[in-house]
Amino acid sequence: MSGLKKRLLVAAHVLPIAVAVCPRAAPAQALSAPQTFTIPAQALKLSLKDVARKTGLQLLFAHDDVAGLRGNAVKGEMTGANALRQLLDRSGLHAVPTGPDSAVIRRAPRVIAMNYAQPDQPSVAPSQSAPLPAVVADEAAAAVPESEIVVTGSLIKQSSLASPIDVIGFATLAARAISNPSELVRALPGNAGSEAQVDQLNQPLTSGTAQFNLRNLGLGSTLVLVNGRRQTLSAVAAGDGSTFTDINSIMPLIALQRIDVVKDGAAATYGSDAVAGVVNFITRRRVDGAEVSGRYNFLDGARQIDLEGIVGTKLLGGDLVLAASYYGSSRLATGERSFSRASTFGRPAWHSVSSYGQPGSYFVPSLRAFRPDPNCLNAAFPDSFKTSPADTFCRYDFSEFFDLIPKERRAQVFATFNAELGDDIDLNLEAGYANTYSKTAASPSFPILAISPVVPAGHPDNPFGEDVRFRGRLLGSDYGPSIATFNYDTFRVAGGLSGPLAGTWTWSTNATYSQQLARYNKPDALLTPLTNALRGLGGPGCDPATGRPGVGACRYFNPFGSARLGTGTQNSPELINSLIGYTDLHGKTSLVTLDGLTSGELFQYGGGTVLAALGVQYRRSTFRHDWGDLVNAGELINLGQAPDFSGKQENLSIFGELKVPAGERVEVQLSGRYEKYLDSFGNFSPKVAVLARPFDELSVRASWGKAFRAPSVYQLVAVQSAQPSVNDGGAFVFANTQTFGNPDLRPEKSTNYNLGATLRPVRGLELSADFFSFDYKDLIVKENPQPIIDQAIADTLAGRTGTPAQQRVTRDISGGLQGVRLNFINASSVKTQGLDVSGRYTVETDIGTVEASAAWTHFSKYSIQLAAGAAPISGLGSVNFNNLGRSLPQDRVEYGTSFATGAHRINVLGHYVSAYRNDRTGTTESRIKAWNTFDLQYTLTVDLVGSKATEINVGAINIFDRDPPVAQLNLGFDPIVHDPRGRVITVAVKQAF
């Protein structure tokens, strides 16, 4: 090979960013001349040849770099530089001019994240990377300035990282037809246990939100970043008291370049809440022209629509990008799917049925037993039933009143601005706003849990002739579902400056402010008005202190079936309305972050350069809940009592990192962070990582680190009311629980390690494997009420009284479960281990490019110790209903293939979830079967409008319309794991201008 040809091939791999993507370089003549281009979307190598012919440029590229890649359509009058930029956008390649009429196309380093000092830094997914030949590797360190690249998971500007990183890129979004950020959680097999779907029975306060949960270590253990900077927590908490970042409120998906996921913990780099890892949303920082897209999803019983647009322009010497989106969904009711209807299974106790009905049941003191309403089985009440003729309860089937998909709309805007201030300073700015409005349906009214209201003997409709206690609910099926509303407003501003310091050293400063406002309104029966109305002193115009039962404005509430049959006192709409109140929650969270960082070269060592970074950060977070007066006073019978609360946390941290070469093929990264929570504890988190390349086709990585996570403001000061489903001596009921914040909580602590390797044995093939292990101690959780209820029952059967468990369980005079008092506590530990395996193979044929890929996550251990000295519980392959975990199938596999030729592209994806067990007490079938679904997407690129190409996409999610496997949970399936929509037909159009 000649010296010139060898140098050009080396340059194709290692030269820094080109004029096509970096305004600081001097433009080449052929790249700067305006011309008219009409290049369709096709194999990238063909498009590059078309550009070369059109411009007269000599374009050099390596076959491995462009294999399997598809060039964007390029149409219209533009310079050669802009044509190349548009052609290579999101490919991970960029053009580097080597003279007035020549350029090389080079690949970006393997994993690249946002670099604020280089606004035009391109992005590339790891799956698109190619190995550097040995002859190139030695020259790369000198040819590529380390100051150009910042890797997610590191503070040092560099081109490699020893931590395992997954990327959700543009191609992933398109192949999965993702139109809603909540769908992202299923695109990553290593994520498990997210609450990204509506579930008003188990997740009543978080509808409209979604979050990542890496390794099933908790909703708050994954740190979410936007362009490397933090985002506020959601203003609502999950049912177990977890706080999290709402990924639904971050940005329009059209503004997204990719998502980097660091999976081995990153507390030493980013802070104490990065125990399980980091998810970094990276945005597009330059857009040529404008793009609009629309997607419509058709599914049986509902419709979903997604409209997006983005535009980029030059402004004040910088790049301004504006993006906006609108998402809307109609309601998909549980009655639309057979697995969510209790009648499908004979109305078993484990489904959405209740012994609190309307008509209800009554405890009759003279009989010392319950009796059902005399009209329980009347045809006028089709959702009321008894399990047998001897059943003493009038039961209620409420399974058809809930949502599988809520009625929802979301509007978002996002903007970035990047510019140079003089020759040395770079400015970057962000602003975003999102509004989510969700209406969720539930049963017409909720069971009356907190009291056992008395229906006096003198009530005109009482058929029992004595005082009886009512076990039931205010309203029945003929009133239709009750509606709760959720309204979230999320706001974010961020900015940063960066520049050179001295020699190779650079500096950067960043500031962010973000907040979320939540408004939550849910109806419930009122305690005092209902009690009065059962005594004939109800109604909006009645004064219970002076009125007479059933006289004048004072009215009786008739809880019996006779009220609806016309054989008894009818309940007027005015009376009913006077018995219903609302939660009226106003919540707010906010986050202020200020940080500064400097990085550069220290000295030469081990045949290379020791790199270093040092930074400081200040954070201030707040959390506030302001409930309505009715909740403060405990007047809502089912939803309970909760006081207002507010709190804040402030912390300071200092952190640093070293990258030390250990010969030509090994590098060591050392990082550490000390965080001090003001007026509280402090902690140091270290991390050590090693990356080795024994030979050109193999890289080996290992990392070890410690982390800690402080109690959230919510866990310290909140009082949370919730109504989880529990088993009370063999009967499934909803228990009214109250959980109290604990100022004495200790921080959670974690030790983790990762061992992995990547092999590229032949051209186009990449194989990767990582073993992970997390030992998570002092986990902060809300106590599970089930063990407390079980212990209290056992104590009673053993003849004991006044035991700790019995003191925390409240029952009414008839023995009905009314409430359980809980606390936030430090549980002992969770230990999890597993394996990530992935592979990708790309081959070019005479008729097109074929790619096959697969990603498998296998959990081999998930051990939970609920208290010091307690026997470990295995949560592996379990719903984890009775412990602090969430549903965790042992295996998840994402696999597929694609074929691209000319203007056509076909993607086929498969999604496999292994079988797992249901540990919910009282079920008759504990096995939840494995689930395998397939998606098909076809994309056609044509010329329909203007001078730029139009992309038309049609496809189907779950093309064979497979129902989720039956799980004996409240809605008949597991919303943590499975998608209830069934087959979804997708139609999408994207147009660039």
Side-chain angles (χ1 to χ4, degrees), residues 4 187 289 426 500 537 555 572 754 827 976:
L4 174 61
D426 290 322
L537 298 172
R555 294 285 182 263
S572 68
N754 190 93
I976 295 291

Side-chain angles (χ1 to χ4, degrees), residues 217 264-265 267 275-276 683-687 703-709 748-754 772-778 829-833:
L217 290 176
D264 67 342
V275 173
N683 197 81
F684 177 71
S685 299
K687 184 174 182 179
S703 63
W704 171 91
K706 285 183 171 291
F708 88 112
R709 179 176 178 270
E748 303 169 337
K749 294 184 178 181
S750 171
T751 302
N752 64 275
Y753 65 89
N754 190 93
F772 61 86
S773 175
F774 288 83
D775 186 354
Y776 203 180
K777 296 181 178 179
D778 290 330
S829 70
V830 172
K831 297 180 180 179
T832 184
Q833 294 178 349

Side-chain angles (χ1 to χ4, degrees), residues 98-133:
T98 56
D101 298 307
S102 64
V104 295
I105 308 302
R106 69 171 292 267
R107 178 169 296 283
R110 187 173 191 277
V111 179
I112 296 180
M114 191 52 58
N115 178 6
Y116 292 114
Q118 296 287 337
D120 300 305
Q121 180 69 34
S123 299
V124 57
S127 60
Q128 296 173 332
S129 63
L132 296 180

Side-chain angles (χ1 to χ4, degrees), residues 113-114 150-156 161 163 165 223-230 260-262 264-275 277-280 282 593 595 597 617 619 651 653 655-657 671-673 675 677 685 687 708:
M114 191 52 58
V150 176
V151 180
T152 298
S154 176
L155 305 169
I156 293 173
L161 191 67
S163 294
I165 295 183
L223 177 63
V224 174
L225 304 175
V226 180
N227 291 330
R229 296 182 284 215
R230 288 172 172 259
D260 286 350
V261 183
V262 181
D264 67 342
T269 304
Y270 293 111
S272 62
D273 40 0
V275 173
V278 169
V279 177
N280 189 11
I282 298 173
T593 304
D595 59 60
L597 179 71
Q617 186 179 78
R619 301 199 306 269
N651 79 346
S653 58
F655 47 92
E657 186 175 346
S671 56
R673 186 183 193 101
E675 288 197 68
Y677 282 79
S685 299
K687 184 174 182 179
F708 88 112

Side-chain angles (χ1 to χ4, degrees), residues 822-977:
L822 307 173
N823 297 296
F824 289 111
I825 62 170
N826 287 100
S828 184
S829 70
V830 172
K831 297 180 180 179
T832 184
Q833 294 178 349
L835 187 67
D836 291 329
V837 179
S838 64
R840 183 181 300 271
Y841 182 59
T842 304
V843 60
E844 288 197 34
T845 69
D846 292 338
I847 60 173
T849 301
V850 179
E851 180 178 273
S853 63
W856 169 43
T857 292
H858 171 76
F859 284 88
S860 59
K861 183 177 184 179
Y862 191 81
S863 178
I864 303 166
Q865 190 178 28
L866 294 178
I873 300 170
S874 177
L876 186 65
S878 173
V879 170
N880 292 313
F881 191 90
N882 293 320
N883 57 60
L884 57 87
R886 287 177 170 81
S887 297
L888 185 64
Q890 195 167 359
D891 297 283
R892 277 191 60 191
V893 185
E894 301 284 312
Y895 57 98
T897 185
S898 66
F899 174 73
T901 180
H904 308 275
R905 185 176 184 89
I906 297 176
N907 285 289
V908 180
L909 285 176
H911 317 286
Y912 172 79
V913 179
S914 63
Y916 58 112
R917 72 182 187 277
N918 185 357
D919 64 332
R920 186 186 187 194
T921 307
T923 58
T924 59
E925 174 55 63
S926 63
R927 187 173 186 268
I928 301 173
K929 295 180 180 179
W931 199 46
N932 202 13
T933 62
F934 294 92
D935 304 342
L936 175 66
Q937 299 291 327
Y938 167 71
T939 302
L940 172 66
T941 304
V942 294
D943 297 333
L944 292 180
V945 180
S947 60
K948 293 191 176 181
T950 303
E951 289 187 8
I952 301 173
N953 174 273
V954 294
I957 300 169
N958 189 0
I959 191 169
F960 298 116
D961 198 20
R962 291 200 60 192
D963 284 343
V966 172
Q968 292 192 1
L969 301 168
N970 290 316
L971 295 179
F973 80 109
D974 188 350
I976 295 291
V977 176

